[in-house]
Every structure is written in C-alpha cells, then in structure tokens.
C-alpha cells in the first residue's frame, strides 16, 4: 500500500500526496485526479473549498507551523 504524506506548506495549503479520498459531511466523494497531489485550503477564503484555489496569496494568510525537533 502506498504511503500518504500531508505536507504543510508555509502560508499555503495542506498538500496531500498518495491514495486518498476526500468526502463531504454526507459521505459523498469529491472528484479529483488521484495521480496528482491534492491541495486543501487552510486560509478559509477558497471559492473551491475544501480545495485550495490560491486565495491565500491575496488574503494575508500567514501560517508556517514546523514540526518539533528533538
């Protein structure tokens, strides 16, 4: 089974790589190309929620969490 990796992009979306399904509150799956990474909105301003449309670039979204080291 392939590994799923979620990358936290500085001041941007969550980038999900690997075999995932994204479903809504009723259990319906969103359609997207499973061969490409999925970018999930973190800023709350995307017009394509839950997916990123790049709105974070114009809404002054700032978040650059880093994993703890040590």
């Amino acid at each position: 089974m392939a590994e799923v990796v979620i990358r936290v992009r500085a001041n941007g979306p969550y980038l999900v790589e690997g075999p995932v399904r994204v479903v809504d509150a009723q259990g319906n799956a969103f359609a997207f190309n499973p061969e490409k990474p999925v970018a999930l909105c973190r800023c709350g301003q995307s017009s394509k929620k839950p997916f990123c449309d790049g709105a974070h670039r114009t809404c002054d979204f700032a978040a650059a969490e880093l994993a703890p080291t040590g």
Side-chain angles (χ1 to χ4, degrees):
M1 177 179 246
E3 179 180 38
V4 174
V5 176
I6 301 173
R7 297 183 193 285
V8 180
R9 303 282 309 265
N11 304 320
Y14 292 118
L15 194 61
V16 184
E17 301 170 0
V20 298
R21 289 182 54 209
V22 178
V23 297
D24 66 15
Q26 296 178 342
N28 300 308
F30 288 94
F32 57 87
N33 183 344
E35 300 297 319
K36 293 186 176 185
V38 177
L40 297 177
C41 177
R42 284 200 301 159
C43 74
Q45 301 302 308
S46 175
S47 63
K48 296 170 47 176
K49 289 179 193 133
F51 304 104
C52 176
D53 68 358
H56 58 274
R57 294 184 202 118
T58 59
C59 74
D60 295 323
F61 179 70
E65 298 87 351
L66 298 175
T69 58

